[in-house]
Amino acid sequence: FGNKLHFYLNVSSVEIDNPDPDITLLNYVRSIGLTGTKLGCAEGACGACTIMISSYDKKSDKISHISTNACLTPLCSIDGKHVVTIEGIGNVKNPHPIQERLALLHGLLRNNPNPSEEEAEGCFDGNLCRCTDYRPILDAAKDKSN
Ligand code: FES
């Protein structure tokens, strides 16, 4: 065993020897150039640092996808998991349809491809939009053209 951390980050397998137990997942991804994940409040209130973590549950034989605040997530807690940052979904030249429709829904569409408006609104919990408002995002969620 030793002090080795292994996880998947977007499309890459990552191994880190003797990981710093104090570093957050946010600081780690930003330190390697994945700066699409932002630092806002650093205390779990704004959602600017949201990333997706997928994990396999042996008992239920299912994969779950959750969005989480990378600013509060210790890097060492993601051993054996799959982390997807915004760079792993698409980019400016090749955006994923979800990015075009609704970047802020995160794991909802994976877990529930046809969310009700109430369910979509529930995904805003813990995410404070500072640049527009929530209406265009909800409209994008309703757009099933992609
Ligand atoms: Fe605000 Fe993480 S930076 S929730």
XYZ file of all heavy atoms in Angstrom, residues 26 38-50 68-72 126-127 130, ligand 1:
147
model
N -9.574 21.232 -5.167
C -9.560 22.476 -5.947
C -8.131 22.960 -6.181
O -7.739 23.245 -7.324
C -10.363 23.564 -5.228
C -10.281 24.953 -5.862
C -10.882 24.948 -7.249
C -10.952 25.989 -4.982
N -13.107 27.095 -10.392
C -12.757 28.399 -9.809
C -12.785 28.392 -8.282
O -13.526 27.635 -7.662
C -13.742 29.470 -10.300
C -13.862 29.555 -11.808
C -12.549 29.930 -12.462
C -12.712 30.107 -13.968
N -11.420 30.210 -14.645
N -11.995 29.306 -7.733
C -12.057 29.575 -6.303
C -12.944 30.788 -6.096
O -12.672 31.856 -6.637
C -10.658 29.860 -5.747
C -10.627 30.315 -4.278
C -11.166 29.225 -3.364
C -9.214 30.704 -3.874
N -14.002 30.588 -5.353
C -14.884 31.700 -5.012
C -14.772 31.978 -3.533
O -13.870 32.665 -3.074
N -15.664 31.373 -2.779
C -15.734 31.662 -1.336
C -14.768 30.828 -0.507
O -14.426 31.198 0.605
C -17.157 31.418 -0.859
S -17.646 29.672 -0.989
N -14.365 29.669 -1.009
C -13.489 28.728 -0.280
C -14.135 28.175 0.983
O -13.431 27.701 1.870
C -12.135 29.357 0.040
N -15.445 28.249 1.063
C -16.096 27.691 2.258
C -17.398 26.954 1.943
O -18.237 26.800 2.812
C -16.322 28.773 3.301
C -17.150 29.940 2.814
C -17.239 31.068 3.842
O -16.326 31.198 4.666
O -18.241 31.791 3.808
N -17.545 26.520 0.702
C -18.692 25.684 0.369
C -20.003 26.415 0.155
O -21.061 25.787 0.170
N -19.948 27.713 -0.087
C -21.196 28.472 -0.213
C -21.554 28.871 -1.636
O -22.735 29.022 -1.946
C -21.123 29.728 0.656
N -20.571 29.055 -2.528
C -20.881 29.673 -3.825
C -20.994 28.690 -4.990
O -21.653 28.974 -5.977
C -19.851 30.742 -4.157
S -18.241 30.096 -4.652
N -20.336 27.560 -4.938
C -20.403 26.577 -6.016
C -19.457 26.846 -7.172
O -19.465 26.108 -8.156
N -18.618 27.874 -7.092
C -17.697 28.177 -8.184
C -16.694 27.047 -8.422
O -16.135 26.926 -9.505
C -16.950 29.476 -7.894
N -16.482 26.225 -7.428
C -15.477 25.168 -7.502
C -16.094 23.801 -7.804
O -15.424 22.788 -7.642
C -14.738 25.091 -6.176
S -15.854 24.598 -4.837
N -17.336 23.779 -8.243
C -18.044 22.501 -8.393
C -17.379 21.590 -9.428
O -17.061 22.012 -10.536
C -19.507 22.755 -8.791
O -20.102 23.595 -7.806
C -20.288 21.454 -8.883
N -19.798 18.165 -6.355
C -19.310 18.490 -5.021
C -18.446 19.739 -5.060
O -17.989 20.154 -6.126
C -18.533 17.292 -4.417
O -18.366 17.486 -3.025
C -17.189 17.117 -5.078
N -18.245 20.326 -3.913
C -17.418 21.521 -3.808
C -15.965 21.096 -3.637
O -15.583 20.584 -2.580
C -17.846 22.381 -2.620
C -19.242 22.922 -2.789
O -19.663 23.220 -3.900
N -19.965 23.042 -1.706
N -15.169 21.342 -4.668
C -13.762 20.941 -4.618
C -12.985 21.709 -3.565
O -11.952 21.237 -3.089
C -13.119 21.122 -5.993
N -13.486 22.873 -3.164
C -12.766 23.671 -2.146
C -12.829 23.016 -0.776
O -12.021 23.340 0.089
C -13.309 25.093 -2.083
S -14.965 25.236 -1.360
N -13.794 22.127 -0.578
C -13.939 21.458 0.712
C -13.537 19.991 0.655
O -13.670 19.273 1.639
C -15.391 21.557 1.202
C -15.934 22.957 1.449
C -17.381 22.883 1.908
C -15.084 23.700 2.461
N -26.887 25.605 -3.143
C -25.453 25.677 -2.919
C -24.681 26.318 -4.040
O -23.457 26.266 -4.064
N -25.364 26.907 -5.015
C -24.655 27.559 -6.112
C -25.225 28.952 -6.307
O -26.390 29.106 -6.671
C -24.789 26.743 -7.399
C -23.797 27.206 -8.441
O -23.816 28.369 -8.829
N -22.940 26.317 -8.870
N -23.432 34.559 -9.961
C -23.022 35.941 -9.804
C -23.084 36.719 -11.110
O -22.902 37.922 -11.115
C -21.597 36.014 -9.258
C -21.462 35.542 -7.845
C -20.046 35.178 -7.511
N -19.532 34.140 -8.393
C -19.831 32.848 -8.255
N -20.616 32.455 -7.283
N -19.355 31.955 -9.087
Fe -17.245 28.589 -3.106
Fe -16.039 26.217 -3.219
S -15.206 28.131 -3.744
S -18.123 26.611 -2.789
